[in-house]
Amino acid sequence: MATTKTKKAAPQIDVRETFVSLQKDFGETGIPVAEKLKVLYALQQADNEIDKIKNLRGALPQEVAQIEDELAGLKSKVAHHEELIAGYEASIEENKNQIVDLDAEIAKYQEQLSNISNSREYDSISKEIENLGLLREIAQKHIGEARIAIGERRDSIDALGDRIAIREQDLAAKQEELETIVASTSEEEKALQERRDACAAKIDERTMSAYDRIRGSVRNHLAVVTVYNGDSCGGCFNAITPQRLVEIASGKKLVICEHCGRILVNPDAEVTE
């Protein structure tokens, strides 16, 4: 009777995982421990070189993004002022049309005054003309206020336009500077990225997740380091015990710094597994 093999489920990736939590299973996945350590060190070296290239750009990418955000905000304000101006202009036209209608009504009532036969009717029509006149004054006042508001908004647009022109010049200069740096290093960065991707493809997902997490959590972005000055961790510079130094030198065992959690490797160790 044939037996059915059950495929072992791939372990879930825990974004909080560290090299310490991987220590038990480190040699059970993918390539042998010695080769895996070599690949991790090569991965770290590629990342170090990529970091150096990115450091050449300094704060330029962030500065470009900040200016772009600022320009978007300034242009949004201009659009808002223009929208308000359109509203004021529509109000002016509405009030002008109202004045035309009021003038027509006033003229009609004034014509009626010439045919009035009694004082009571005269007073009533005169009062109506007075009320229409007040409405006409209000409409004229609204037109005047709208024109003042339009002037103020246009002044604001002019000021914003000056600011936009200055910041667009700043943006063009920053972008040109950034593009020059990127162009000068693009081929090197591409080659390094291909080297990094080749290394990463050989490492299991859990180890890569821990590697990326540690790199992102420390200032020097070092997750895999060598021995510093013969007896110290190359990441945190704390002392390493003699027994651990022997294990690191062999290159056949996963050794993690007990102080910072980085992997300690001997890049010169022979891969014999």
Side-chain angles (χ1 to χ4, degrees):
M1 184 175 176
T3 58
T4 305
K5 288 185 178 181
T6 57
K7 189 176 180 181
K8 188 177 179 181
Q12 285 189 324
I13 305 300
D14 185 348
V15 295
R16 299 166 299 176
E17 201 154 42
T18 64
F19 289 135
V20 175
S21 61
L22 286 172
Q23 202 161 14
K24 180 180 177 182
D25 304 323
F26 189 77
E28 296 180 7
T29 57
I31 58 180
V33 171
E35 177 65 20
K36 196 171 183 178
L37 292 173
K38 286 276 190 181
V39 173
L40 278 169
Y41 183 69
L43 174 65
Q44 180 69 74
Q45 292 298 99
D47 278 332
N48 290 347
E49 294 303 313
I50 291 172
D51 287 344
K52 287 178 184 177
I53 290 174
K54 290 181 177 178
N55 287 338
L56 289 175
R57 301 168 192 168
L60 280 173
Q62 292 82 2
E63 289 173 4
V64 167
Q66 286 172 359
I67 296 174
E68 287 174 339
D69 289 343
E70 183 183 348
L71 282 169
L74 292 171
K75 289 175 181 179
S76 177
K77 288 180 180 179
V78 169
H80 178 63
H81 286 312
E82 288 174 341
E83 185 179 343
L84 290 174
I85 287 173
Y88 289 133
E89 288 175 339
S91 172
I92 288 172
E93 286 303 310
E94 183 181 342
N95 280 286
K96 282 182 176 180
N97 291 333
Q98 186 181 0
I99 287 172
V100 170
D101 293 340
L102 289 169
D103 285 344
E105 285 193 65
I106 290 170
K108 182 182 69 175
Y109 282 118
Q110 285 176 337
E111 186 178 349
Q112 290 178 9
L113 282 177
S114 60
N115 300 318
I116 296 303
S117 57
N118 59 73
S119 60
R120 185 174 181 181
E121 190 176 356
Y122 180 90
D123 291 342
S124 176
I125 292 175
S126 296
K127 186 65 176 176
E128 193 65 33
I129 291 172
E130 183 183 348
N131 289 338
L132 292 171
L134 289 172
L135 290 174
R136 192 181 191 283
E137 289 177 8
I138 291 171
Q140 286 179 320
K141 181 183 177 184
H142 288 164
I143 289 172
E145 290 172 345
R147 283 175 174 160
I148 291 171
I150 287 173
E152 291 172 348
R153 297 294 173 179
R154 284 182 175 155
D155 288 343
S156 296
I157 288 174
D158 289 342
L160 288 167
D162 292 340
R163 178 64 179 168
I164 287 170
I166 292 170
R167 296 307 279 159
E168 283 181 338
Q169 289 177 358
D170 293 341
L171 177 61
K174 294 288 184 183
Q175 285 176 328
E176 183 179 359
E177 186 180 354
L178 179 58
E179 286 167 6
T180 300
I181 294 172
V182 170
S184 67
T185 58
S186 60
E187 290 186 10
E188 183 183 0
E189 187 173 5
K190 181 181 177 182
L192 286 168
Q193 188 62 49
E194 288 174 353
R195 197 170 98 196
R196 183 196 193 278
D197 292 343
C199 292
K202 297 178 183 178
I203 305 297
D204 61 278
E205 291 184 12
R206 285 183 67 198
T207 303
M208 276 302 303
S209 177
Y211 171 84
D212 289 335
R213 179 181 182 276
I214 292 173
R215 250 182 63 81
S217 65
V218 292
R219 289 186 64 185
N220 57 13
H221 304 303
L222 296 175
V224 181
V225 297
T226 58
V227 175
Y228 174 75
N229 204 26
D231 62 356
S232 303
C233 169
C236 67
F237 307 110
N238 280 294
I240 304 169
T241 63
Q243 176 59 36
R244 283 178 173 266
L245 288 172
V246 172
E247 292 171 345
I248 294 166
S250 73
K252 297 179 181 180
K253 183 177 179 181
L254 174 65
V255 180
I256 299 170
C257 176
E258 59 188 1
H259 301 284
C260 66
R262 293 176 172 90
I263 289 179
L264 290 156
V265 299
N266 173 15
D268 300 322
E270 294 295 329
V271 180
T272 56
E273 290 190 24

